[in-house]
Amino acid sequence: MPGGPLLVEGPVEVVLPNGEVRRSERPVVALCACHRSRCYPFCDTSHRRPRRGSSSRGDSRGERGKGGEG
């Protein structure tokens, strides 16, 4: 999926630009490439959710097809 995660063999240690170090001991780690993840630099599948104000599907009912907010 375009904008999806980069999969790397773990465990990994990522040093963020501010010097903070994030670690994951998982055997395979998904690194966020879209910068939308709430647990950046690790992927939380935020790239799957439509962006606010986006109408790429033409359906404003949300992911499950129900009324109201997704």
Short mmCIF file of all heavy atoms in Angstrom, two decimals:
data_model
loop_
_atom_site.label_atom_id
_atom_site.label_comp_id
_atom_site.label_asym_id
_atom_site.label_seq_id
_atom_site.Cartn_x
_atom_site.Cartn_y
_atom_site.Cartn_z
N MET A 1 0.86 -1.18 0.00
CA MET A 1 0.00 0.00 0.00
C MET A 1 0.90 1.24 0.00
O MET A 1 1.76 1.37 0.86
CB MET A 1 -0.90 -0.01 1.24
CG MET A 1 -1.63 1.30 1.46
SD MET A 1 -2.72 1.32 2.89
CE MET A 1 -4.09 0.46 2.20
N PRO A 2 0.70 2.17 -0.92
CA PRO A 2 1.48 3.40 -0.93
C PRO A 2 1.30 4.16 0.39
O PRO A 2 0.20 4.28 0.91
CB PRO A 2 0.91 4.20 -2.09
CG PRO A 2 0.25 3.19 -2.97
CD PRO A 2 -0.22 2.10 -2.04
N GLY A 3 2.40 4.64 0.93
CA GLY A 3 2.34 5.36 2.20
C GLY A 3 2.28 4.44 3.40
O GLY A 3 2.16 4.88 4.52
N GLY A 4 2.34 3.13 3.13
CA GLY A 4 2.29 2.16 4.21
C GLY A 4 3.65 2.02 4.89
O GLY A 4 4.60 2.73 4.58
N PRO A 5 3.76 1.08 5.81
CA PRO A 5 4.98 0.96 6.61
C PRO A 5 6.13 0.29 5.87
O PRO A 5 5.95 -0.38 4.87
CB PRO A 5 4.53 0.10 7.78
CG PRO A 5 3.46 -0.77 7.20
CD PRO A 5 2.73 0.13 6.22
N LEU A 6 7.31 0.48 6.44
CA LEU A 6 8.51 -0.20 6.00
C LEU A 6 8.75 -1.33 6.99
O LEU A 6 8.87 -1.08 8.19
CB LEU A 6 9.69 0.78 6.01
CG LEU A 6 11.06 0.20 5.74
CD1 LEU A 6 11.16 -0.28 4.30
CD2 LEU A 6 12.11 1.25 6.02
N LEU A 7 8.78 -2.56 6.51
CA LEU A 7 8.98 -3.71 7.39
C LEU A 7 10.47 -4.01 7.49
O LEU A 7 11.15 -4.14 6.47
CB LEU A 7 8.23 -4.93 6.87
CG LEU A 7 6.71 -4.79 6.79
CD1 LEU A 7 6.10 -6.05 6.19
CD2 LEU A 7 6.12 -4.50 8.15
N VAL A 8 10.95 -4.12 8.73
CA VAL A 8 12.36 -4.44 8.96
C VAL A 8 12.45 -5.59 9.95
O VAL A 8 11.58 -5.77 10.80
CB VAL A 8 13.17 -3.23 9.48
CG1 VAL A 8 13.24 -2.14 8.44
CG2 VAL A 8 12.59 -2.70 10.76
N GLU A 9 13.52 -6.37 9.83
CA GLU A 9 13.75 -7.47 10.75
C GLU A 9 14.21 -6.92 12.09
O GLU A 9 15.10 -6.07 12.16
CB GLU A 9 14.82 -8.38 10.15
CG GLU A 9 14.95 -9.69 10.87
CD GLU A 9 15.90 -10.62 10.15
OE1 GLU A 9 15.91 -10.64 8.90
OE2 GLU A 9 16.64 -11.33 10.84
N GLY A 10 13.55 -7.34 13.16
CA GLY A 10 13.86 -6.85 14.49
C GLY A 10 14.82 -7.77 15.21
O GLY A 10 15.21 -8.79 14.67
N PRO A 11 15.17 -7.44 16.42
CA PRO A 11 14.78 -6.24 17.14
C PRO A 11 15.46 -5.00 16.56
O PRO A 11 16.48 -5.12 15.89
CB PRO A 11 15.23 -6.50 18.57
CG PRO A 11 16.31 -7.52 18.46
CD PRO A 11 16.03 -8.32 17.21
N VAL A 12 14.86 -3.82 16.79
CA VAL A 12 15.41 -2.58 16.25
C VAL A 12 15.52 -1.52 17.34
O VAL A 12 14.82 -1.56 18.35
CB VAL A 12 14.55 -2.01 15.10
CG1 VAL A 12 14.49 -2.94 13.93
CG2 VAL A 12 13.16 -1.65 15.56
N GLU A 13 16.40 -0.58 17.05
CA GLU A 13 16.57 0.60 17.90
C GLU A 13 16.58 1.78 16.94
O GLU A 13 17.40 1.83 16.02
CB GLU A 13 17.88 0.51 18.67
CG GLU A 13 18.12 1.65 19.61
CD GLU A 13 19.37 1.44 20.44
OE1 GLU A 13 19.29 0.65 21.40
OE2 GLU A 13 20.39 2.04 20.11
N VAL A 14 15.66 2.73 17.13
CA VAL A 14 15.53 3.89 16.25
C VAL A 14 15.88 5.13 17.04
O VAL A 14 15.33 5.35 18.12
CB VAL A 14 14.09 4.00 15.69
CG1 VAL A 14 13.95 5.21 14.79
CG2 VAL A 14 13.70 2.74 14.94
N VAL A 15 16.78 5.94 16.50
CA VAL A 15 17.13 7.21 17.13
C VAL A 15 16.39 8.31 16.37
O VAL A 15 16.60 8.51 15.18
CB VAL A 15 18.65 7.45 17.10
CG1 VAL A 15 18.99 8.78 17.76
CG2 VAL A 15 19.39 6.31 17.77
N LEU A 16 15.50 9.02 17.07
CA LEU A 16 14.72 10.10 16.47
C LEU A 16 15.58 11.36 16.34
O LEU A 16 16.61 11.48 17.00
CB LEU A 16 13.49 10.37 17.34
CG LEU A 16 12.53 9.19 17.51
CD1 LEU A 16 11.40 9.55 18.45
CD2 LEU A 16 12.00 8.73 16.18
N PRO A 17 15.16 12.31 15.50
CA PRO A 17 15.93 13.54 15.31
C PRO A 17 16.22 14.31 16.60
O PRO A 17 17.25 14.96 16.71
CB PRO A 17 15.05 14.37 14.37
CG PRO A 17 14.25 13.38 13.63
CD PRO A 17 14.00 12.26 14.61
N ASN A 18 15.34 14.19 17.60
CA ASN A 18 15.55 14.90 18.86
C ASN A 18 16.46 14.13 19.82
O ASN A 18 16.66 14.54 20.95
CB ASN A 18 14.23 15.21 19.54
CG ASN A 18 13.48 13.98 20.01
OD1 ASN A 18 13.94 12.86 19.85
ND2 ASN A 18 12.30 14.18 20.57
N GLY A 19 17.00 12.99 19.37
CA GLY A 19 17.91 12.20 20.19
C GLY A 19 17.23 11.10 20.99
O GLY A 19 17.90 10.25 21.57
N GLU A 20 15.90 11.10 21.04
CA GLU A 20 15.17 10.06 21.76
C GLU A 20 15.37 8.71 21.08
O GLU A 20 15.38 8.61 19.85
CB GLU A 20 13.68 10.41 21.79
CG GLU A 20 12.83 9.43 22.55
CD GLU A 20 11.36 9.81 22.54
OE1 GLU A 20 10.99 10.89 22.04
OE2 GLU A 20 10.57 8.99 23.03
N VAL A 21 15.55 7.66 21.87
CA VAL A 21 15.75 6.32 21.34
C VAL A 21 14.49 5.50 21.60
O VAL A 21 13.99 5.44 22.71
CB VAL A 21 16.96 5.64 22.01
CG1 VAL A 21 17.12 4.22 21.51
CG2 VAL A 21 18.22 6.45 21.75
N ARG A 22 13.98 4.87 20.54
CA ARG A 22 12.82 3.97 20.66
C ARG A 22 13.28 2.58 20.29
O ARG A 22 13.98 2.39 19.29
CB ARG A 22 11.71 4.41 19.70
CG ARG A 22 11.14 5.78 19.98
CD ARG A 22 10.04 5.69 21.03
NE ARG A 22 9.44 6.97 21.27
CZ ARG A 22 8.29 7.37 20.75
NH1 ARG A 22 7.61 6.60 19.96
NH2 ARG A 22 7.82 8.56 21.06
N ARG A 23 12.85 1.58 21.07
CA ARG A 23 13.26 0.20 20.84
C ARG A 23 12.03 -0.69 20.65
O ARG A 23 10.98 -0.45 21.21
CB ARG A 23 14.03 -0.32 22.05
CG ARG A 23 15.35 0.35 22.24
CD ARG A 23 16.07 -0.19 23.47
NE ARG A 23 17.36 0.44 23.64
CZ ARG A 23 17.54 1.61 24.27
NH1 ARG A 23 16.53 2.25 24.80
NH2 ARG A 23 18.75 2.12 24.36
N SER A 24 12.23 -1.74 19.87
CA SER A 24 11.22 -2.78 19.73
C SER A 24 11.94 -4.11 19.67
O SER A 24 12.91 -4.27 18.93
CB SER A 24 10.39 -2.58 18.47
OG SER A 24 9.49 -3.67 18.31
N GLU A 25 11.47 -5.07 20.44
CA GLU A 25 12.06 -6.40 20.48
C GLU A 25 11.34 -7.39 19.57
O GLU A 25 11.67 -8.57 19.55
CB GLU A 25 12.04 -6.93 21.93
CG GLU A 25 12.82 -6.07 22.90
CD GLU A 25 14.31 -6.02 22.57
OE1 GLU A 25 14.86 -7.03 22.11
OE2 GLU A 25 14.91 -4.94 22.77
N ARG A 26 10.36 -6.93 18.82
CA ARG A 26 9.60 -7.83 17.94
C ARG A 26 10.48 -8.40 16.83
O ARG A 26 11.43 -7.75 16.41
CB ARG A 26 8.44 -7.07 17.30
CG ARG A 26 7.39 -6.69 18.29
CD ARG A 26 6.31 -5.86 17.62
NE ARG A 26 5.14 -5.86 18.45
CZ ARG A 26 3.92 -6.12 18.01
NH1 ARG A 26 3.72 -6.35 16.75
NH2 ARG A 26 2.91 -6.13 18.84
N PRO A 27 10.14 -9.60 16.33
CA PRO A 27 10.95 -10.20 15.26
C PRO A 27 10.83 -9.45 13.93
O PRO A 27 11.77 -9.43 13.14
CB PRO A 27 10.42 -11.62 15.14
CG PRO A 27 9.13 -11.64 15.89
CD PRO A 27 9.11 -10.49 16.83
N VAL A 28 9.69 -8.83 13.67
CA VAL A 28 9.49 -7.97 12.49
C VAL A 28 8.83 -6.70 12.99
O VAL A 28 7.86 -6.73 13.74
CB VAL A 28 8.60 -8.64 11.42
CG1 VAL A 28 8.34 -7.70 10.26
CG2 VAL A 28 9.23 -9.93 10.92
N VAL A 29 9.37 -5.56 12.56
CA VAL A 29 8.90 -4.26 13.03
C VAL A 29 8.43 -3.45 11.83
O VAL A 29 9.10 -3.40 10.80
CB VAL A 29 10.03 -3.51 13.77
CG1 VAL A 29 9.56 -2.15 14.24
CG2 VAL A 29 10.53 -4.33 14.94
N ALA A 30 7.26 -2.81 11.97
CA ALA A 30 6.73 -1.94 10.92
C ALA A 30 7.04 -0.50 11.30
O ALA A 30 6.55 0.01 12.30
CB ALA A 30 5.22 -2.15 10.78
N LEU A 31 7.88 0.15 10.48
CA LEU A 31 8.23 1.54 10.71
C LEU A 31 7.31 2.44 9.88
O LEU A 31 7.10 2.20 8.69
CB LEU A 31 9.69 1.80 10.34
CG LEU A 31 10.72 1.06 11.17
CD1 LEU A 31 12.12 1.32 10.63
CD2 LEU A 31 10.62 1.46 12.63
N CYS A 32 6.78 3.47 10.51
CA CYS A 32 5.84 4.37 9.87
C CYS A 32 6.51 5.18 8.77
O CYS A 32 7.57 5.76 8.98
CB CYS A 32 5.26 5.31 10.93
SG CYS A 32 4.12 6.54 10.25
N ALA A 33 5.88 5.22 7.60
CA ALA A 33 6.39 6.02 6.49
C ALA A 33 5.48 7.21 6.18
O ALA A 33 5.84 8.09 5.42
CB ALA A 33 6.52 5.15 5.24
N CYS A 34 4.30 7.25 6.81
CA CYS A 34 3.34 8.32 6.50
C CYS A 34 3.35 9.44 7.54
O CYS A 34 2.72 10.46 7.34
CB CYS A 34 1.93 7.75 6.38
SG CYS A 34 1.21 7.20 7.94
N HIS A 35 4.02 9.25 8.65
CA HIS A 35 4.11 10.22 9.75
C HIS A 35 2.76 10.53 10.39
O HIS A 35 2.60 11.55 11.01
CB HIS A 35 4.78 11.53 9.28
CG HIS A 35 6.20 11.32 8.88
ND1 HIS A 35 7.23 11.46 9.77
CD2 HIS A 35 6.76 10.96 7.70
CE1 HIS A 35 8.36 11.21 9.14
NE2 HIS A 35 8.10 10.90 7.89
N ARG A 36 1.79 9.61 10.26
CA ARG A 36 0.48 9.79 10.88
C ARG A 36 0.30 8.94 12.13
O ARG A 36 -0.69 9.08 12.84
CB ARG A 36 -0.62 9.45 9.86
CG ARG A 36 -0.64 10.43 8.69
CD ARG A 36 -1.53 9.96 7.57
NE ARG A 36 -2.91 9.88 7.99
CZ ARG A 36 -3.86 9.31 7.28
NH1 ARG A 36 -3.58 8.75 6.13
NH2 ARG A 36 -5.09 9.27 7.72
N SER A 37 1.24 8.06 12.40
CA SER A 37 1.14 7.13 13.53
C SER A 37 1.17 7.85 14.87
O SER A 37 1.92 8.80 15.07
CB SER A 37 2.31 6.14 13.47
OG SER A 37 2.31 5.32 14.61
N ARG A 38 0.34 7.39 15.79
CA ARG A 38 0.34 7.95 17.15
C ARG A 38 1.47 7.36 17.98
O ARG A 38 1.72 7.83 19.07
CB ARG A 38 -1.01 7.68 17.83
CG ARG A 38 -2.09 8.56 17.24
CD ARG A 38 -3.42 8.32 17.97
NE ARG A 38 -4.46 8.30 16.96
CZ ARG A 38 -5.28 7.31 16.73
NH1 ARG A 38 -5.25 6.23 17.47
NH2 ARG A 38 -6.17 7.37 15.78
N CYS A 39 2.12 6.31 17.48
CA CYS A 39 3.26 5.73 18.20
C CYS A 39 4.51 5.77 17.32
O CYS A 39 5.32 4.86 17.31
CB CYS A 39 2.94 4.31 18.66
SG CYS A 39 2.52 3.17 17.33
N TYR A 40 4.65 6.88 16.58
CA TYR A 40 5.79 7.09 15.68
C TYR A 40 7.10 6.87 16.43
O TYR A 40 7.20 7.30 17.57
CB TYR A 40 5.72 8.51 15.11
CG TYR A 40 6.73 8.78 14.03
CD1 TYR A 40 6.46 8.40 12.73
CD2 TYR A 40 7.95 9.36 14.32
CE1 TYR A 40 7.40 8.62 11.74
CE2 TYR A 40 8.88 9.57 13.34
CZ TYR A 40 8.60 9.20 12.05
OH TYR A 40 9.52 9.40 11.07
N PRO A 41 8.06 6.20 15.90
CA PRO A 41 8.27 5.83 14.50
C PRO A 41 7.68 4.49 14.10
O PRO A 41 7.89 4.03 12.99
CB PRO A 41 9.80 5.78 14.40
CG PRO A 41 10.22 5.25 15.72
CD PRO A 41 9.25 5.90 16.70
N PHE A 42 6.94 3.85 15.00
CA PHE A 42 6.35 2.56 14.69
C PHE A 42 4.96 2.74 14.10
O PHE A 42 4.22 3.65 14.48
CB PHE A 42 6.32 1.68 15.93
CG PHE A 42 7.68 1.51 16.55
CD1 PHE A 42 7.98 2.09 17.77
CD2 PHE A 42 8.66 0.80 15.90
CE1 PHE A 42 9.24 1.96 18.32
CE2 PHE A 42 9.93 0.65 16.44
CZ PHE A 42 10.22 1.24 17.67
N CYS A 43 4.60 1.87 13.18
CA CYS A 43 3.31 1.95 12.50
C CYS A 43 2.17 1.50 13.41
O CYS A 43 2.29 0.51 14.12
CB CYS A 43 3.35 1.06 11.26
SG CYS A 43 1.82 1.06 10.32
N ASP A 44 1.06 2.26 13.38
CA ASP A 44 -0.15 1.84 14.09
C ASP A 44 -1.33 1.72 13.12
O ASP A 44 -2.46 1.75 13.52
CB ASP A 44 -0.49 2.81 15.23
CG ASP A 44 -0.91 4.17 14.75
OD1 ASP A 44 -0.92 4.44 13.53
OD2 ASP A 44 -1.25 5.02 15.60
N THR A 45 -1.06 1.58 11.85
CA THR A 45 -2.00 1.45 10.73
C THR A 45 -2.80 2.73 10.46
O THR A 45 -3.83 2.68 9.80
CB THR A 45 -2.96 0.25 10.88
OG1 THR A 45 -3.87 0.47 11.95
CG2 THR A 45 -2.20 -1.06 11.09
N SER A 46 -2.33 3.88 10.92
CA SER A 46 -3.02 5.14 10.63
C SER A 46 -3.10 5.41 9.14
O SER A 46 -4.01 6.11 8.69
CB SER A 46 -2.30 6.31 11.31
OG SER A 46 -2.44 6.25 12.70
N HIS A 47 -2.18 4.87 8.35
CA HIS A 47 -2.20 5.08 6.91
C HIS A 47 -3.43 4.47 6.26
O HIS A 47 -3.80 4.86 5.16
CB HIS A 47 -0.93 4.50 6.26
CG HIS A 47 -0.79 3.03 6.46
ND1 HIS A 47 -0.20 2.49 7.60
CD2 HIS A 47 -1.17 1.98 5.70
CE1 HIS A 47 -0.22 1.17 7.51
NE2 HIS A 47 -0.80 0.83 6.38
N ARG A 48 -4.11 3.58 6.94
CA ARG A 48 -5.33 2.95 6.41
C ARG A 48 -6.56 3.83 6.56
O ARG A 48 -7.53 3.64 5.84
CB ARG A 48 -5.59 1.62 7.12
CG ARG A 48 -4.55 0.58 6.85
CD ARG A 48 -4.90 -0.68 7.56
NE ARG A 48 -3.85 -1.68 7.40
CZ ARG A 48 -3.82 -2.81 8.05
NH1 ARG A 48 -4.78 -3.11 8.91
NH2 ARG A 48 -2.84 -3.66 7.87
N ARG A 49 -6.54 4.74 7.51
CA ARG A 49 -7.70 5.60 7.76
C ARG A 49 -7.67 6.79 6.82
O ARG A 49 -6.61 7.36 6.56
CB ARG A 49 -7.70 6.07 9.21
CG ARG A 49 -7.94 4.94 10.18
CD ARG A 49 -8.13 5.43 11.60
NE ARG A 49 -6.91 5.94 12.19
CZ ARG A 49 -5.99 5.19 12.80
NH1 ARG A 49 -6.14 3.89 12.85
NH2 ARG A 49 -4.92 5.73 13.33
N PRO A 50 -8.84 7.20 6.33
CA PRO A 50 -8.87 8.36 5.44
C PRO A 50 -8.45 9.63 6.19
O PRO A 50 -8.71 9.77 7.38
CB PRO A 50 -10.33 8.46 4.99
CG PRO A 50 -11.09 7.48 5.78
CD PRO A 50 -10.14 6.62 6.55
N ARG A 51 -7.79 10.51 5.47
CA ARG A 51 -7.41 11.78 6.07
C ARG A 51 -8.63 12.66 6.21
O ARG A 51 -9.58 12.56 5.44
CB ARG A 51 -6.39 12.50 5.19
CG ARG A 51 -5.08 11.80 5.11
CD ARG A 51 -4.14 12.56 4.22
NE ARG A 51 -2.94 11.78 4.01
CZ ARG A 51 -1.74 12.18 4.39
NH1 ARG A 51 -1.59 13.34 4.97
NH2 ARG A 51 -0.70 11.42 4.18
N ARG A 52 -8.63 13.53 7.21
CA ARG A 52 -9.75 14.46 7.39
C ARG A 52 -9.87 15.35 6.18
O ARG A 52 -8.89 15.84 5.66
CB ARG A 52 -9.53 15.32 8.63
CG ARG A 52 -9.67 14.54 9.89
CD ARG A 52 -9.59 15.44 11.07
NE ARG A 52 -9.78 14.65 12.28
CZ ARG A 52 -9.73 15.13 13.48
NH1 ARG A 52 -9.47 16.40 13.67
NH2 ARG A 52 -9.90 14.35 14.52
N GLY A 53 -11.10 15.56 5.74
CA GLY A 53 -11.35 16.40 4.58
C GLY A 53 -11.13 15.69 3.27
O GLY A 53 -11.34 16.25 2.22
N SER A 54 -10.72 14.42 3.31
CA SER A 54 -10.47 13.66 2.10
C SER A 54 -11.77 13.01 1.64
O SER A 54 -12.53 12.49 2.42
CB SER A 54 -9.43 12.57 2.36
OG SER A 54 -9.29 11.76 1.23
N SER A 55 -12.00 13.05 0.35
CA SER A 55 -13.19 12.40 -0.19
C SER A 55 -12.79 11.46 -1.32
O SER A 55 -13.43 11.39 -2.35
CB SER A 55 -14.18 13.46 -0.69
OG SER A 55 -13.59 14.25 -1.70
N SER A 56 -11.70 10.73 -1.11
CA SER A 56 -11.18 9.86 -2.15
C SER A 56 -12.14 8.72 -2.49
O SER A 56 -12.17 8.26 -3.61
CB SER A 56 -9.82 9.27 -1.74
OG SER A 56 -9.95 8.52 -0.55
N ARG A 57 -12.96 8.28 -1.55
CA ARG A 57 -13.92 7.20 -1.81
C ARG A 57 -15.28 7.73 -2.22
O ARG A 57 -16.09 6.98 -2.71
CB ARG A 57 -14.08 6.34 -0.57
CG ARG A 57 -12.84 5.57 -0.21
CD ARG A 57 -13.10 4.79 1.02
NE ARG A 57 -12.80 3.40 0.74
CZ ARG A 57 -13.09 2.42 1.55
NH1 ARG A 57 -13.70 2.65 2.69
NH2 ARG A 57 -12.77 1.19 1.26
N GLY A 58 -15.54 8.99 -1.94
CA GLY A 58 -16.84 9.53 -2.25
C GLY A 58 -17.91 9.11 -1.26
O GLY A 58 -19.09 9.34 -1.46
N ASP A 59 -17.53 8.45 -0.17
CA ASP A 59 -18.47 7.98 0.83
C ASP A 59 -18.12 8.63 2.15
O ASP A 59 -17.08 8.37 2.72
CB ASP A 59 -18.40 6.46 0.94
CG ASP A 59 -19.41 5.90 1.91
OD1 ASP A 59 -20.18 6.66 2.52
OD2 ASP A 59 -19.44 4.67 2.06
N SER A 60 -18.99 9.48 2.66
CA SER A 60 -18.70 10.22 3.90
C SER A 60 -19.23 9.52 5.14
O SER A 60 -19.24 10.07 6.21
CB SER A 60 -19.30 11.63 3.81
OG SER A 60 -20.71 11.52 3.69
N ARG A 61 -19.65 8.24 4.99
CA ARG A 61 -20.24 7.53 6.12
C ARG A 61 -19.22 6.82 6.97
O ARG A 61 -19.55 6.20 7.96
CB ARG A 61 -21.26 6.52 5.61
CG ARG A 61 -22.45 7.17 4.96
CD ARG A 61 -23.42 6.16 4.50
NE ARG A 61 -22.81 5.36 3.43
CZ ARG A 61 -23.29 4.21 3.00
NH1 ARG A 61 -24.37 3.70 3.53
NH2 ARG A 61 -22.70 3.55 2.04
N GLY A 62 -17.95 6.85 6.62
CA GLY A 62 -16.94 6.19 7.44
C GLY A 62 -16.59 4.82 6.91
O GLY A 62 -17.17 4.32 5.96
N GLU A 63 -15.65 4.19 7.56
CA GLU A 63 -15.08 2.94 7.10
C GLU A 63 -16.08 1.79 7.12
O GLU A 63 -16.09 0.94 6.27
CB GLU A 63 -13.89 2.60 7.98
CG GLU A 63 -12.92 1.66 7.36
CD GLU A 63 -11.66 1.55 8.16
OE1 GLU A 63 -11.05 2.58 8.45
OE2 GLU A 63 -11.33 0.42 8.53
N ARG A 64 -16.97 1.74 8.09
CA ARG A 64 -17.90 0.62 8.23
C ARG A 64 -19.24 0.87 7.56
O ARG A 64 -20.12 0.04 7.63
CB ARG A 64 -18.12 0.34 9.72
CG ARG A 64 -16.86 -0.12 10.40
CD ARG A 64 -17.16 -0.54 11.80
NE ARG A 64 -15.93 -0.85 12.47
CZ ARG A 64 -15.65 -0.52 13.71
NH1 ARG A 64 -16.54 0.12 14.44
NH2 ARG A 64 -14.52 -0.83 14.25
N GLY A 65 -19.39 2.03 6.95
CA GLY A 65 -20.65 2.31 6.26
C GLY A 65 -21.77 2.75 7.16
O GLY A 65 -22.93 2.76 6.77
N LYS A 66 -21.47 3.10 8.41
CA LYS A 66 -22.49 3.56 9.32
C LYS A 66 -22.51 5.09 9.33
O LYS A 66 -21.53 5.72 9.02
CB LYS A 66 -22.20 3.08 10.74
CG LYS A 66 -22.28 1.58 10.88
CD LYS A 66 -22.01 1.15 12.28
CE LYS A 66 -22.09 -0.36 12.40
NZ LYS A 66 -21.81 -0.84 13.72
N GLY A 67 -23.62 5.66 9.70
CA GLY A 67 -23.73 7.11 9.78
C GLY A 67 -22.90 7.68 10.91
O GLY A 67 -22.44 6.98 11.78
N GLY A 68 -22.66 8.98 10.88
CA GLY A 68 -21.89 9.62 11.95
C GLY A 68 -20.42 9.52 11.73
O GLY A 68 -19.95 9.21 10.65
N GLU A 69 -19.64 9.77 12.78
CA GLU A 69 -18.19 9.76 12.65
C GLU A 69 -17.68 8.33 12.72
O GLU A 69 -18.10 7.53 13.55
CB GLU A 69 -17.56 10.58 13.76
CG GLU A 69 -17.88 12.06 13.60
CD GLU A 69 -17.13 12.89 14.60
OE1 GLU A 69 -16.11 12.43 15.14
OE2 GLU A 69 -17.59 14.00 14.88
N GLY A 70 -16.71 7.99 11.81
CA GLY A 70 -16.10 6.71 11.58
C GLY A 70 -15.84 5.91 12.74
O GLY A 70 -15.54 4.88 12.96
#
